[in-house]
Amino acid sequence: MIVIPLIERKRDGGRLTREEWSQLVVEYAAGRVPDYQMAALLMAVLLNGLDDAELGGLTDAMRGSGACLEYDPATVPRVDKHSTGGVGDKVSLVLAPLVASVGVAVPMISGRGLAHTGGTLDKLESIPGFRTDLALHEVRRQVERIGAALIGQTSEIAPADRKLYALRDATATVEAIPLMAASIMSKKLAEGLNGLVLDIKRGSGAFLPHVKDGLELAQTMIGLGEERGCRTVALVTAMDRPLGRACGNALEVEEAVAALQGEGPPDLMEVVYALGTEMLLLAGVEDDVKRAGRTLQEAITCGKAVEKFREIIEAQGGNPDVLDDLAVLPHAPSVGVYEAPAAGYVDRVEPRVIGQGVANLGGGRQHMDDGIDHSVGFVITVKPGDRVARGQPLASIYAREPADVRMGRDALDRAIRIVHDPAEGGLPLVSHRVTAKAVEILG
Ligand code: URA
């Protein structure tokens, strides 16, 4: 394939045809287009964008580079959730079993933590024995049998995206909104979904901090999904402070188990119920927002949701005793308490500093192949707007050794800002609802 004229055309603001994108993806995945030419083309896309036909061509070619999950038509409706990533975001751990427990199948493909953000796969792998590397035929069987599977992107799913994503990561082209949309949707559409709910984070800890960029990403992904028969809705949620209290892999599993047992922190539960409601509406098992919310709450109260988590853990080789005995999870040997250095009001709990703090304690990675310590992290019990007294415990630090507790304390000093005058609570937790037709402002 002669690539230079395609790079020139894209560089000069022109467009490639659907067929050209298709052929490019096939040739690149097969190693017949070199990285340096693909990198130049990706940079031209970052600078000049893609029109709808190009975006569709690229997405379909990446999805078509691997296998797609196909189900018996009698299988219950399948809906997934995708988050653009944050700190303390253990929503998937609660949402997948919760929604599956009320009759909607959830084949969920998740990612690992990178830089300051956490990843669902890392959290799940703190449960001893839990396997996230199921083959597609195992995923299909498990979804048909128990209604949910939580896995990572395997080499079977959109392998061209995997190769392109690694190249984007090394060439400063991850941030291109059309490339992000095509990358995420190529994998989601391979799951054989009827519906998809997007959790678009905004605020200082989000991958795209500005709401305008988040809305553009949401609308681009919604367009791709709807045109391909996958009903897609997005909620924009706050990531200007960590979600819930726990930040760190095993600590977040602990909080997710508590949430499934009816003891979740209010902000986490609000996001879980908002996203879960959208999932039930998309699946068509509920047609009323209030009723959908009640159905989800009842599934937690009556114990159905936590029992579904037990089934998922057992099916994927994990130790289900974690639901009854948290000692099954790895525990950090050094624990410290962080106390308020002054009286006043909490003005900021900066998620990037917290997320990076977890990574520095050993709970996150700088490079994709780094190992991690699942036990470390923070539990932060204050939120922006809270009034605090001098010396009041605000957080616990879980670390491998005492020197790391000191490092954790330094991170909390930088992350938690206390001011003299009353402070605001931060961005509205769920601020926008985006559909193919409209952007609704909720708060
Ligand atoms: N996650 C993905 O899978 N792809 C992107 O491009 C960004 C985030």
Side-chain angles (χ1 to χ4, degrees), residues 82-84 153 161 165 168 174 176 179-181 183-184 187 207:
H82 175 82
S83 154
T84 54
Q153 181 184 8
D161 168 65
Y165 188 84
R168 286 169 56 211
V174 167
L179 296 179
M180 284 169 72
S183 163
I184 295 166
K187 289 171 286 212
F207 198 42

Side-chain angles (χ1 to χ4, degrees), residues 42-349:
L42 293 173
M43 187 55 81
V45 171
L46 181 131
L47 297 172
N48 292 324
L50 290 177
D51 73 16
D52 288 350
E54 292 184 285
L55 182 67
L58 174 62
T59 308
D60 291 340
M62 292 201 297
R63 171 174 64 164
S65 68
C68 292
L69 277 162
E70 280 165 24
Y71 292 89
D72 179 335
T75 310
V76 292
R78 294 167 304 282
V79 181
D80 190 7
K81 185 271 308 185
H82 175 82
S83 154
T84 54
V87 177
D89 179 5
K90 67 283 293 173
V91 168
S92 293
L93 305 185
V94 186
L95 199 58
L98 173 58
V99 170
S101 76
V102 299
V104 177
V106 186
M108 190 175 270
I109 300 179
S110 302
R112 296 198 178 278
L114 192 60
H116 72 284
T117 65
T120 298
L121 300 182
D122 295 327
K123 295 169 200 182
L124 287 167
E125 285 170 1
S126 22
I127 302 173
F130 197 101
R131 277 183 62 209
T132 56
D133 61 346
L134 306 186
L136 278 193
H137 69 273
E138 295 178 285
V139 175
R140 192 182 54 237
R141 251 203 330 263
Q142 184 173 317
V143 170
E144 285 172 348
R145 189 167 64 80
I146 63 168
L150 293 158
I151 58 153
Q153 181 184 8
T154 68
S155 54
E156 294 171 281
I157 299 165
D161 168 65
R162 213 176 156 106
K163 191 168 173 197
L164 274 169
Y165 188 84
L167 184 63
R168 286 169 56 211
D169 203 22
T171 57
T173 49
V174 167
E175 289 78 3
I177 286 177
L179 296 179
M180 284 169 72
S183 163
I184 295 166
M185 292 306 284
S186 66
K187 289 171 286 212
K188 292 291 160 187
L189 291 164
E191 292 175 25
L193 301 174
N194 306 99
L196 173 65
V197 178
L198 305 170
D199 179 2
I200 306 287
K201 303 290 188 194
R202 70 186 279 217
S204 56
F207 198 42
L208 296 175
H210 303 293
V211 71
K212 177 177 155 294
D213 295 329
L215 290 175
E216 185 183 335
L217 178 65
Q219 285 168 320
T220 309
M221 290 200 282
I222 289 170
L224 281 169
E226 294 275 335
E227 277 163 24
R228 284 155 186 77
C230 173
R231 300 272 322 281
T232 308
V233 171
L235 296 180
V236 178
T237 70
M239 189 36 69
D240 59 339
R241 67 268 189 190
L243 185 63
R245 300 183 188 117
C247 301
N249 296 293
L251 297 167
E252 292 191 43
V253 169
E254 206 169 313
E255 188 166 273
V257 170
L260 286 164
Q261 291 167 335
E263 303 287 329
D267 60 340
L268 172 64
M269 297 320 291
E270 186 178 333
V271 173
V272 164
Y273 288 134
L275 294 165
T277 295
E278 297 295 344
M279 292 172 83
L280 300 199
L281 296 178
L282 282 184
V285 301
E286 294 287 357
D287 57 8
D288 176 80
V289 171
K290 286 215 171 78
R291 240 194 340 261
R294 272 201 303 275
T295 300
L296 294 169
Q297 284 179 13
E298 277 160 23
I300 289 192
T301 316
C302 75
K304 222 157 69 168
V306 78
E307 282 316 303
K308 185 55 74 179
F309 198 27
R310 187 184 305 278
E311 283 179 60
I312 298 170
I313 294 171
E314 266 168 359
Q316 295 190 220
N319 184 348
D321 293 346
V322 66
L323 299 175
D324 312 302
D325 177 10
L326 292 170
V328 165
L329 290 170
H331 280 77
S334 283
V335 181
V337 175
Y338 179 81
E339 294 166 351
Y345 295 84
V346 177
D347 176 45
R348 299 277 320 141
V349 181

Side-chain angles (χ1 to χ4, degrees), residues 336-341 379-382 387-396 416:
V337 175
Y338 179 81
E339 294 166 351
V379 174
I380 304 166
T381 48
V382 283
R387 185 177 184 168
V388 295
R390 182 158 192 245
Q392 176 183 329
L394 305 185
S396 301
I416 302 179

